[in-house]
Amino acid sequence: GAMREFRDRVFRTGRQVRDELGLEFLGFLPAVSASQLRSMHPAPTGTAPGPYPPVLSHGVMRYSVGSPLSGFAEVLRSAKVAADITLGSHRPKIIGLVSVLPNEGKSTIAKNIASLVAHLGARTLLIDADLRNPGLSRATAPDAKRGLVEVLMDSVPYRDLLLREGETGLDLLPTVGRRNLSHTGELISSAAMQALLQEAGQDYDYIFVDLPPVGPIVDVRAAAKLFDAFVFVVEWGRTARHVVSSTLEHEQSVYEKTLGVILNKANLAGVRLYEDYGSRDYYYGKYKKYYRDR
């Protein structure tokens, strides 16, 4: 057991985030079970008024809105509060969602936090800027024919390509992947992208951008200057601590703007086994009575 503990080199506690990364810990997001998804409030029928086609929002992609009193939604609210405190009255707040590795849940969190903020009444835009692997768009806009790439390369007005989530009023600018698109870093950091964010900033209070992983891909580093802040997503119990710390060490432009870290897909029952007795996060499970999954 001692040897297994010694060799455990992944993130399991908020203390590890604070001590090893020097960043704020925003909270644990639990893995959402099928029974929790079934217990969500159903999405209302119909679409929001306006000219935009609907966003396909179901399952875990709308969990923060379908279960607004859950611990899942509360962590995302804490991320919004962190942005509000750090950025103050700055408008718009342009926030990138990033991770080191693929499949850590970054796109799911991007969609949920954007829907939550929109549901609270803020004018909110979500942009899928993962040009090589637009998983967010595949999940929420599978029928989209054009998107961010056409805005940046062909000067298509972004408003012509928006979709809207009727339940929350969230607007989405999708991405439709193109084969052999090798200059994604140049596109994301281009003057066209800067112009898009400036133009959209006249209509929105918050702009959330789902970005590619920062590990092997240079897109985020190239575009960091365009963002006000980042939220870093790390998969609990899977992503090696040294990979995250070394990546952030070499990505100072991202590190300096990072609001904090969310540990995603966490086993909340196991969290206290790794925390020191009496530490702040040791009692994390005690707050379950304040949350409801529906």
Side-chain angles (χ1 to χ4, degrees), residues 56-80:
L56 181 62
S57 184
H58 60 88
V60 72
M61 282 296 186
R62 64 172 292 270
Y63 189 69
S64 63
V65 177
S67 297
L69 299 179
S70 64
F72 186 100
E74 190 65 24
V75 170
L76 299 184
R77 277 191 285 268
S78 74
K80 175 188 180 296

Side-chain angles (χ1 to χ4, degrees), residues 124-288:
T124 308
L125 172 66
L126 174 60
I127 300 175
D128 186 354
D130 193 343
L131 302 185
R132 302 189 194 188
N133 183 29
L136 171 64
S137 296
R138 286 196 296 267
T140 59
D143 297 327
K145 305 301 181 186
R146 300 183 298 169
L148 178 61
V149 175
E150 286 69 29
V151 173
L152 301 181
M153 294 184 64
D154 304 329
S155 300
V156 177
Y158 86 94
R159 293 183 182 86
D160 292 349
L161 306 181
L162 290 178
L163 297 91
R164 177 161 294 171
E165 185 175 49
E167 184 176 8
T168 65
L170 170 69
D171 287 343
L172 169 68
L173 178 59
T175 283
V176 178
R178 290 187 182 183
R179 291 185 177 181
N180 302 320
L181 190 65
S182 61
H183 60 300
T184 54
E186 287 79 3
L187 283 177
I188 295 300
S189 61
S190 65
M193 183 69 175
Q194 184 175 13
L196 165 63
L197 294 174
Q198 289 177 344
E199 183 181 2
Q202 300 175 18
D203 298 327
Y204 297 98
D205 303 313
Y206 294 83
I207 300 175
F208 292 97
V209 184
D210 182 28
L211 292 163
V214 299
I217 301 173
V218 300
D219 296 19
V220 178
R221 182 194 314 167
K225 64 181 182 294
L226 303 180
F227 293 84
D228 300 314
F230 295 96
V231 172
F232 215 93
V233 179
V234 176
E235 185 171 347
W236 184 89
R238 175 176 177 266
T239 306
R241 301 201 297 266
H242 74 89
V243 172
V244 179
S245 59
S246 62
T247 298
L248 287 173
E249 182 179 348
H250 289 90
E251 303 287 353
Q252 284 295 314
S253 57
V254 176
Y255 179 82
E256 292 169 358
K257 293 183 177 181
T258 297
L259 298 171
V261 175
I262 291 174
L263 292 182
N264 193 32
K265 305 179 188 178
N267 176 2
L268 297 185
V271 165
R272 64 181 298 172
L273 299 178
Y274 296 92
E275 286 286 358
D276 293 333
Y277 178 78
S279 67
R280 184 170 72 177
D281 297 319
Y282 179 81
Y283 297 103
Y284 199 88
K286 296 288 187 181
Y287 295 95
K288 291 175 64 176

